[in-house]
Amino acid sequence: MRKPERPEAYLSQLLHAIEDCIYLMNWDGEQFRYRYVNRAAAKLSGIGPEHEGRTFFEVFEHEPEMGRYLHQKYLKVVDERRSVRFEDGILLPSGALSGESILSPIFNDQGEVQAVACMTRDMVTSEESEQRLHHYAYHDELTQLFNRRFLYEFTHKPFCLFLIDLDNFKNINDALGHEVGDTLLIEVAQRFRNSFGAPYVIARQGADEFIIVCETPISRPEEIAKRILEVLDKPFQLGQQMVRVSASLGISSAAERTDLSTLLRQADIALYYAKSKGRSRYHVFNEAFHYDQLVKFDYEIALNQCIEREELLLHYQPIFDPLHNKVVEVEALLRWNLGHSGLVSPADFIPVAEETGLIVPIGEWVIRQACKDFPRIREKFGPDVRIAVNISRAQFEEEQFIDRLNAIIAEEGLTPRQFDLEVTETLVMRNLEQICVILKQLREQGYMISLDDFGTGYSSLGILAQIPIDKFKLDRSFIVQMNPAVISALLVMARAMDLDVVAEGVEDGDQLIQLMDMGCPNIQGYLICRPMSIDDLPGIWFANRHSRIG
């Protein structure tokens, strides 16, 4: 006779078989903690057994608005001690769209709420679901304004842009709570809707920043800025609280349609300038104005979080050996994708990173990322290829620089012989004796050492003989001038000193032919390959030395 199943096991099978999503959350008086999700809920939300005992804020650590939304939703049931129906679904971090839900309290023997059960059912048709997903994709969840994705896809070339930042919004959040802060943002959004119709498009940038763009020319953007400030001037009634807010505005305007990212970057700079002058100010970006210190400060703030936000990336440029017809090295070149501003020029942000010392953690990120990319580089160019990375002055001045370098490379499974460390003349000449000691140690451990941009600094040929290097890179200025006598003499000297040479900045076939005729061993430049992502790097090979040139 078949043994009857335990009620607990049967109940678990039953709940798992139900197509509706079921969540059970324990309540400890402060936080809700996941206790159970059925199969449907796990599939929809990505929540599994590994999340048992964790709070909303812990599970959605990288989606704090989602954690706060769920906590407040369940807290309503605890406060009201009854079942609550929520008809509107929400876009989950998994990308799925939830349906309507009913949340019910579970009481203990003392009549206290000890848990909340949630059943979510999707009652919408596939067409309605598609419409909702489209809405979520292009709208800010809190204010229902358009989001930045909508701006980039549908208003990518406006005439004018207003970037609005609420003054001291953090103080309101801290003093009155995030729920009041969210209500304020909703009210601000509604005022903007009521005041600015077509041809204006209103969006929430995030946090307490809003964007208003205009797709028709505006002769006096200052007048619109005053209107925006007037819209916010009347106090906001938030429950029992009367709150006054002001805002700072950055404005960018163009006579012709202009790329959104350009206008947004200009408005960002103008906003920083306006905020530096006090509250409730606006400033129109002017290309003739000197914003150097402001931009530098902007970069300094953003660079502090560039690694955490995963904004850094590496592009690679091959170094080609024409005699043996192969790529011998690939140089890693740092790039910074600053969100709406796009790629920032290394000439703009690297000096800031060096001055602030941020180049040290950024430099370590470069080394580690280059290590991670190295297997794919070897697939393209063979097992003997090396990877070149630039080392900054600040890195050299770190006491544990060599130990940190070796540790990163060992952790990633590479060896020093697979690396070429590039240093500049300026770095070497700053403290010749001390730098030479460090370079000697690095060479003894197997690293190749290259002197970058040779000819632009202060080193003489006599000093060059004292520096423990394996190679120097001829600055592109030599290649542009193309004086065969000078380049030939440098190549003869290099061979006499047993130094390798790379000609940088080779951009046309005539330059390549002359360098090859002079016996230059390595070539780098746009003619061979521009810096690009590892995915886009071609497998470079010349059938003969004239097949790709001329």
Side-chain angles (χ1 to χ4, degrees):
M1 182 175 177
R2 184 179 177 186
K3 185 178 179 180
E5 295 186 69
R6 291 183 297 109
E8 295 84 355
Y10 179 76
L11 179 60
S12 178
Q13 292 176 5
L14 176 64
L15 293 176
H16 274 300
I18 294 175
E19 294 186 4
D20 292 333
C21 297
I22 298 174
Y23 305 84
L24 183 61
M25 306 295 300
N26 281 341
W27 168 246
D28 61 13
E30 292 185 2
Q31 297 289 343
F32 296 96
R33 298 183 182 276
Y34 281 95
R35 178 175 176 181
Y36 172 83
V37 296
N38 71 345
R39 184 180 292 112
K43 181 178 180 181
L44 180 74
S45 64
I47 305 297
E50 68 275 14
H51 298 107
E52 185 175 342
R54 299 176 67 187
T55 69
F56 291 129
F57 299 103
E58 290 170 340
V59 172
F60 298 101
E61 180 181 359
H62 301 296
E63 300 279 348
E65 288 191 4
M66 174 62 70
R68 190 162 64 248
Y69 165 81
L70 290 172
H71 181 82
Q72 294 296 332
K73 183 176 181 179
Y74 278 70
L75 193 60
K76 183 178 178 66
V77 178
V78 175
D79 291 341
E80 298 187 9
R81 297 174 58 80
R82 64 177 181 84
S83 295
V84 180
R85 180 188 299 271
F86 294 87
E87 295 184 357
D88 293 331
I90 187 172
L91 186 65
L92 301 170
S94 63
L97 184 66
S98 73
E100 73 167 0
S101 56
I102 300 176
L103 278 66
S104 301
I106 299 174
F107 300 95
N108 61 18
D109 293 340
Q110 289 74 42
E112 300 169 336
V113 177
Q114 65 176 6
V116 175
C118 172
M119 177 178 288
T120 297
R121 171 171 293 180
D122 192 356
M123 301 293 292
V124 301
T125 65
S126 59
E127 182 179 350
E128 289 172 329
S129 179
E130 184 176 338
Q131 291 174 351
R132 286 193 185 181
L133 283 171
H134 185 273
H135 177 84
Y136 277 112
Y138 294 111
H139 289 78
D140 172 59
E141 186 177 319
L142 178 67
T143 64
Q144 298 304 305
L145 293 175
F146 289 118
N147 58 19
R148 198 167 66 182
R149 177 187 293 173
F150 178 89
L151 293 182
Y152 271 97
E153 293 190 19
F154 297 102
T155 61
H156 54 281
K157 285 197 173 183
F159 280 95
C160 191
L161 186 147
F162 301 85
L163 181 58
I164 306 152
D165 182 84
L166 301 185
D167 295 325
N168 299 324
F169 179 73
K170 183 178 182 299
N171 294 342
I172 295 174
N173 266 342
D174 292 343
L176 304 179
H178 287 279
E179 191 170 355
V180 173
D182 287 349
T183 302
L184 174 60
L185 294 173
I186 294 170
E187 292 294 327
V188 169
Q190 189 58 48
R191 286 195 188 182
F192 286 155
R193 278 195 203 91
N194 295 339
S195 303
F196 296 95
Y200 298 98
V201 177
I202 311 165
R204 184 185 176 207
Q205 159 99 330
D208 59 338
E209 285 191 347
F210 296 85
I211 298 171
I212 298 178
V213 298
C214 187
E215 299 195 275
T216 59
I218 298 178
S219 59
R220 293 281 298 166
E222 296 90 346
E223 297 303 319
I224 306 301
K226 291 176 183 177
R227 272 183 60 194
I228 293 172
L229 295 179
E230 288 171 2
V231 164
L232 300 174
D233 191 51
K234 183 181 177 182
F236 291 82
Q237 182 71 49
L238 306 177
Q240 302 299 317
Q241 302 284 342
M242 185 73 75
V243 177
R244 300 191 73 100
V245 297
S246 60
S248 300
L249 277 72
I251 308 162
S252 54
S253 182
E256 299 180 354
R257 288 186 180 273
T258 303
D259 182 74
L260 178 70
S261 61
T262 300
L263 286 182
L264 199 47
R265 176 62 187 149
Q266 292 174 350
D268 211 11
I269 294 171
L271 174 63
Y272 271 103
Y273 184 84
K275 290 177 78 71
S276 71
K277 298 300 180 182
R279 297 173 56 180
S280 195
R281 303 292 182 94
Y282 63 84
H283 179 73
V284 181
F285 180 85
N286 184 344
E287 292 203 13
F289 203 85
H290 293 292
Y291 296 104
D292 294 349
Q293 286 301 112
L294 200 61
V295 173
K296 178 181 173 182
F297 179 66
D298 186 10
Y299 285 157
E300 182 177 338
I301 293 173
L303 280 170
N304 275 286
Q305 297 178 298
C306 64
I307 296 177
E308 291 78 6
R309 292 176 175 173
E310 299 182 351
E311 295 171 340
L312 299 179
L313 62 151
L314 292 183
H315 281 183
Y316 294 93
Q317 187 174 37
I319 297 173
F320 184 70
D321 175 354
L323 178 63
H324 298 95
N325 201 22
K326 66 177 184 179
V327 171
V328 292
E329 278 191 16
V330 177
E331 182 178 0
L333 299 166
L334 179 63
R335 298 293 184 263
W336 182 24
N337 186 0
L338 185 54
H340 58 259
S341 300
L343 287 178
V344 181
S345 169
D348 291 335
F349 77 85
I350 287 182
V352 177
E354 289 177 338
E355 288 180 23
T356 58
L358 293 169
I359 195 66
V360 174
I362 290 174
E364 290 187 0
W365 179 90
V366 169
I367 295 166
R368 191 176 294 279
Q369 187 60 44
C371 289
K372 293 182 184 298
D373 291 341
F374 192 63
R376 296 171 65 190
I377 292 172
R378 294 183 69 180
E379 287 178 9
K380 288 179 180 286
F381 304 119
D384 297 329
V385 69
R386 287 184 302 273
I387 193 160
V389 295
N390 294 275
I391 305 298
S392 71
R393 173 183 59 81
Q395 288 173 277
F396 261 91
E397 291 177 349
E398 285 283 303
E399 289 185 10
Q400 304 299 320
F401 165 63
I402 296 180
D403 292 339
R404 287 290 303 142
L405 173 66
N406 289 334
I408 293 171
I409 289 176
E411 288 166 9
E412 299 296 334
L414 274 68
T415 67
R417 296 194 179 280
Q418 294 168 311
F419 272 83
D420 181 357
L421 306 181
E422 296 191 2
V423 297
T424 63
E425 288 187 60
T426 306
L427 165 63
V428 173
M429 298 307 295
R430 180 182 177 89
N431 191 337
L432 181 61
E433 185 175 343
Q434 182 181 351
I435 296 298
C436 284
V437 170
I438 298 174
L439 294 179
K440 184 178 179 182
Q441 291 178 18
L442 290 168
R443 290 186 75 202
E444 289 172 349
Q445 293 182 19
Y447 294 100
M448 174 175 280
I449 305 296
S450 295
L451 187 65
D452 197 13
D453 300 329
F454 177 75
T456 61
Y458 309 102
S459 62
S460 66
L461 297 182
I463 292 295
L464 188 62
Q466 302 176 33
I467 305 173
I469 61 173
D470 301 282
K471 176 175 63 181
F472 64 83
K473 302 180 75 172
L474 280 176
D475 184 71
R476 66 182 304 274
S477 59
F478 285 100
I479 311 308
V480 172
Q481 295 168 12
M482 191 49 74
N483 187 322
V486 173
I487 295 176
S488 295
L490 289 171
L491 292 172
V492 170
M493 178 201 69
R495 286 191 287 269
M497 299 173 65
D498 197 24
L499 294 175
D500 205 359
V501 179
V502 176
E504 295 183 292
V506 180
E507 297 185 358
D508 63 58
D510 290 339
Q511 291 173 344
L512 178 59
I513 291 174
Q514 291 185 69
L515 289 166
M516 291 170 65
D517 288 341
M518 286 184 276
C520 184
N522 300 293
I523 306 295
Q524 184 177 11
Y526 283 7
L527 178 68
I528 305 300
C529 184
R530 290 175 175 268
M532 58 184 64
S533 71
I534 190 170
D535 293 326
D536 296 329
L537 275 176
I540 299 170
W541 182 82
F542 292 170
N544 60 67
R545 81 181 215 174
H546 298 286
S547 63
R548 292 268 304 273
I549 58 178

